[in-house]
Amino acid sequence: MKILKIIALCIIVPGLLFGAVSCQTMQTSGPKATLQVIPAETFLSPALFKKPVTFKGTGFGPKEMITVEMILPPGMKMKGLAEGENVVGVALGETDDKGNFTAAMKPIATLNWFFQVGWTPLLKPNFKEARPIPPGVYKINATGLDTDRIASSTLKLVPPPKKKK
């Protein structure tokens, strides 16, 4: 009787493991997700409120919620983040029937994460307390909440142009 149990376990356990691996493979299969940041290079200015940074993605699931996050470089501190945190949400989107999405940064995300403004008691931005993030290349990830597909791109923040005299 013990031998039958051992044989059964030898057959069942590998079958379960194979099934689990197969299911995981099925979840991540499909088209490769892509992400485009528009513009790919910019400088911080009030123009970002009228024409915000926009994210376009493909290859996600249909009617899927997408989170777009900016990954901060190692050691960079940002107002509102705890020590060791290095990710901020910059946009949300939902894909169409074909798995494509477009999402733009909202003004509050631009104020909080790009300009790092302070806020008055009446919830108005206080630009006197602003500490804009430094120029550099920032990694941007778009993640599908149902498929767990991730697409990456970059956003390059450059110094503002020199003012003409």
Side-chain angles (χ1 to χ4, degrees):
M1 194 64 149
K2 267 188 172 181
I3 292 178
L4 288 176
K5 287 181 182 179
I6 292 172
I7 292 172
L9 284 175
C10 288
I11 293 172
I12 293 172
V13 170
L16 290 173
L17 290 173
F18 178 75
V21 170
S22 297
C23 286
Q24 183 64 30
T25 303
M26 287 181 358
Q27 288 175 351
T28 57
S29 66
K32 179 173 172 37
T34 65
L35 177 64
Q36 181 182 13
V37 179
I38 304 165
E41 183 175 306
T42 190
F43 60 92
L44 298 183
S45 80
L48 291 174
F49 298 111
K50 290 185 179 180
K51 193 170 183 186
V53 175
T54 303
F55 310 96
K56 288 189 175 193
T58 64
F60 294 92
K63 300 293 182 188
E64 181 174 27
M65 187 65 106
I66 306 294
T67 61
V68 181
E69 298 172 321
M70 179 171 67
I71 314 302
L72 304 177
M76 182 176 171
K77 295 181 194 262
M78 184 170 277
K79 194 185 278 189
L81 293 185
E83 186 73 29
E85 284 186 278
N86 70 338
V87 178
V88 293
V90 293
L92 288 172
E94 185 178 351
T95 62
D96 60 17
D97 291 332
K98 296 179 182 175
N100 305 319
F101 80 93
T102 300
M105 280 186 77
K106 301 288 184 211
I108 196 158
T110 302
L111 288 167
N112 281 333
W113 308 128
F114 283 178
F115 291 100
Q116 296 190 81
V117 299
W119 293 92
T120 70
L122 297 175
L123 299 179
K124 294 192 178 206
N126 181 351
F127 282 95
K128 291 178 183 174
E129 294 181 18
R131 293 183 308 155
I133 62 174
V137 176
Y138 294 86
K139 183 177 179 182
I140 307 293
N141 283 348
T143 304
L145 298 185
D146 295 329
T147 61
D148 289 329
R149 290 184 190 141
I150 299 173
S152 295
S153 189
T154 58
L155 171 63
K156 184 176 183 180
L157 294 178
V158 297
K162 301 275 189 218
K163 292 186 179 181
K164 295 179 183 176
K165 294 182 180 183

